[in-house]
Amino acid sequence: MKVLEAKFVQGFIRMCNDGWEQGWHERNGGNLTYRMKKEEVESIKEELRTDGVWKEIGTSVPKLAGEFFLVTGSGKYFRNVILAPEDSIAVVEIDGKGECYRICWGLVNGGRPTSELPSHLMNHEVKMQATGGKHRVIYHAHTTNVIALTFVLPLEDEVFTRELWEMATECPVVFPDGIGVVGWMVPGGRDIAVATSELMKKYDVAIWAHHGMFASGEDFDLTFGLMHTVEKSAEILVKMLSMRPDKLQTITPQNFRDLAVDFQVTLPERFLYEK
């Protein structure tokens, strides 16, 4: 099978375009990676190169040794993925030590995988272990309203989780474990990768202050849906704060507990404090 005919590749391309249409990927902003299944690698192996040059990842991810990933390219525009996927995305292989990668397909006009590759791979490793291999997608986007909130809310997990839970009843059901927050750090390096991966041991979503959001999920639909839900809740909160600084009514801690019972989710009590 040709790479571009594979269902998982088409799903990857669609998700890139969906993010562009939401307005989350100005210029070359944002990145997406997908850990491929063995049968998916096998289905496109005839188009995969095996003579690529091994290059250092910039971190060590031994649990991902030998894995293949579909990734967006550094400096590439999400708006162009659907138009020129072979130029914009790539299939990369991780070496036997989890320290290097090589390009096996894509980026035909040159380039390298996303500059956030260390963050993505460290988080893939964490989420693969935490979910027994179920999580395969890591997505980073510049979600407008979430970024705006990082200038006016305390950069605390409890505050962001509670405020966003209160904006839409579905939120504690969609992300019952809450949301982590990383203070501003230079993107693309090991330090932000380590900080994010620590949060991802507990959460499926991490907010990068003044930068955007990082989300993990089992497939493209669930991961995009998670990002979309958090950002829509943030949009509601931004609109509410623009109308008045305080709430006349809201969802109470007991309301959350009742919701958790009916929807069979566990909501950590540390997010259900009385304000």
Side-chain angles (χ1 to χ4, degrees):
M1 180 184 295
K2 292 186 179 296
V3 171
L4 294 179
E5 294 175 354
K7 185 176 180 180
F8 74 95
V9 178
Q10 293 173 356
F12 186 96
I13 293 170
R14 179 193 172 190
M15 184 163 165
C16 288
N17 195 61
D18 286 346
W20 157 250
E21 291 186 347
Q22 289 295 323
W24 299 342
H25 299 285
E26 75 293 335
R27 202 170 179 269
N28 62 315
N31 24 73
L32 176 65
T33 58
Y34 171 71
R35 182 169 59 86
M36 295 163 58
K37 299 175 183 176
K38 286 182 172 55
E39 59 268 27
E40 292 170 338
V41 177
E42 185 67 20
S43 71
I44 62 170
K45 68 178 183 179
E46 292 181 1
E47 285 205 322
L48 299 183
R49 293 173 50 201
T50 58
D51 60 350
V53 177
W54 291 104
K55 297 182 179 181
E56 291 187 355
I57 296 168
T59 190
S60 178
V61 284
K63 297 290 192 303
L64 299 180
E67 295 278 355
F68 286 76
F69 289 84
L70 187 58
V71 305
T72 50
S74 178
K76 301 299 182 179
Y77 291 26
F78 264 54
R79 69 187 296 262
N80 291 334
V81 171
I82 198 169
L83 301 174
E86 291 181 80
D87 172 62
S88 305
I89 64 178
V91 173
V92 301
E93 179 185 6
I94 308 302
D95 73 353
K97 293 183 179 180
E99 296 177 354
C100 297
Y101 74 89
R102 65 180 176 185
I103 296 173
C104 301
W105 176 90
L107 295 176
V108 293
N109 295 311
R112 59 187 177 86
T114 169
S115 61
E116 299 286 0
L117 190 64
S119 291
H120 277 254
L121 293 181
M122 288 183 72
N123 284 282
H124 271 291
E125 187 176 55
V126 166
K127 298 308 288 188
M128 184 175 73
Q129 291 179 277
T131 66
K134 291 181 179 179
H135 277 213
R136 292 184 173 274
V137 182
I138 296 288
Y139 182 34
H140 168 54
H142 298 170
T143 43
T144 309
N145 293 284
V146 164
I147 295 172
L149 290 176
T150 65
F151 290 93
V152 298
L153 292 182
L155 299 178
E156 300 169 4
D157 302 0
E158 291 81 4
V159 173
F160 267 84
T161 296
R162 178 63 176 276
E163 291 292 342
L164 294 175
W165 275 3
E166 286 186 34
M167 293 302 103
T169 299
E170 70 179 301
C171 286
V173 178
V174 174
F175 50 98
D177 294 329
I179 290 176
V181 183
V182 178
W184 188 88
M185 302 177 74
V186 175
R190 178 174 169 77
D191 289 345
I192 196 169
V194 171
T196 308
S197 62
E198 282 300 310
L199 289 178
M200 284 297 200
K201 293 177 181 178
K202 300 184 289 184
Y203 310 115
D204 291 338
V205 182
I207 291 171
W208 286 355
H210 324 319
H211 184 158
M213 198 170 8
F214 221 71
S216 173
E218 295 182 25
D219 57 33
F220 300 124
D221 284 345
L222 287 170
T223 311
F224 187 86
L226 174 59
M227 183 83 75
H228 200 187
T229 301
V230 176
E231 170 61 6
K232 185 172 183 178
S233 182
E235 181 182 1
I236 296 169
L237 180 55
V238 167
K239 289 180 177 179
M240 186 277 292
L241 291 172
S242 71
M243 291 186 283
R244 57 181 298 150
D246 59 329
K247 310 178 185 89
L248 288 180
Q249 53 274 323
T250 190
I251 304 172
T252 68
Q254 189 54 49
N255 291 155
F256 283 124
R257 295 184 186 102
D258 294 340
L259 183 75
V261 172
D262 282 3
F263 281 86
Q264 299 180 343
V265 295
T266 300
L267 302 180
E269 278 292 322
R270 67 191 180 95
F271 299 133
L272 303 182
Y273 56 89
E274 293 288 349
K275 294 182 178 180

